[in-house]
Amino acid sequence: MTAYLPVPQPEDVPVREREDAMGAYFMMFASLAAGLPLPIINLIAAVIYLYINKSKSRFVHFHALQSLYSQLPTSLMNAVLVFWSIRIFILEHFEMNDAFKGYVLTVILANLVYFVFSIIAAIRARKGRFYYFAVFGKLAYHQAYKERPEDKNEPVNQPPA
């Protein structure tokens, strides 16, 4: 059986870690900051943010992982939309079928849901709390808080001396 370390209480998380955890959710705006409508930039920014900040603490690692995992499906959906749109505008001379219109509506709704949940998670992270996305939160928790052999030397939940 795999052992997991306990999650920290909000008052135990330093302000700097809270801000770093919150910043993970703002990687969804990376393509806007770059001025390019390429959704893959958000994914690249999330990966870079994870690798820069994952060693700061498990709290930051969890939020960076959850942000990255939750960006995967929306980034893929957005990439398909960009390429499909380019195809329509170049090859089909602006003729949009019902499948394309339905996909655009689906992508818009998925992005709105992702945006709302990411803002909620960012606010919770800034308060030192956790907010678990349905599937991605469990994956991120298991990866960030799994006990490793090097953790055996860390005291966990011991009373002050």
Side-chain angles (χ1 to χ4, degrees):
M1 185 171 146
T2 305
Y4 295 97
L5 297 174
V7 295
Q9 296 301 310
E11 59 273 0
D12 296 336
V13 180
V15 173
R16 180 67 190 168
E17 288 180 16
R18 294 177 189 193
E19 291 170 351
D20 290 340
M22 177 184 67
Y25 296 103
F26 293 133
M27 293 300 108
M28 67 180 146
F29 299 118
S31 65
L32 293 176
L36 300 171
L38 301 174
I40 199 73
I41 291 175
N42 296 348
L43 205 52
I44 292 168
V47 169
I48 291 170
Y49 194 87
L50 171 67
Y51 281 103
I52 289 173
N53 293 299
K54 73 178 183 177
S55 61
K56 290 185 177 179
S57 75
R58 290 178 187 271
F59 182 76
V60 176
H61 189 196
F62 166 79
H63 286 287
L65 273 173
Q66 180 169 254
S67 173
L68 173 64
Y69 291 158
S70 62
Q71 280 188 21
L72 285 171
T74 54
S75 293
L76 291 174
M77 290 175 68
N78 290 336
V80 167
L81 180 62
V82 166
F83 291 121
W84 197 354
S85 299
I86 290 170
R87 183 176 166 255
I88 285 175
F89 295 136
I90 292 175
L91 300 177
E92 298 177 14
H93 307 292
F94 301 101
E95 292 183 25
M96 294 180 231
N97 58 18
D98 288 339
F100 178 75
K101 292 175 186 175
Y103 187 74
V104 168
L105 182 62
T106 302
V107 170
I108 289 171
L109 290 174
N111 278 297
L112 284 173
V113 168
Y114 170 67
F115 178 77
V116 168
F117 283 113
S118 291
I119 294 298
I120 292 169
I123 291 168
R124 299 279 301 207
R126 180 62 178 94
K127 293 179 179 179
R129 297 187 175 278
F130 287 82
Y131 186 78
Y132 298 96
F133 292 173
V135 173
F136 310 117
K138 184 175 182 177
L139 290 172
Y141 172 79
H142 286 295
Q143 193 168 351
Y145 280 93
K146 181 173 41 175
E147 190 171 316
R148 297 178 188 94
E150 63 268 14
D151 296 328
K152 297 295 183 190
N153 299 332
E154 292 181 10
V156 178
N157 285 345
Q158 291 184 351

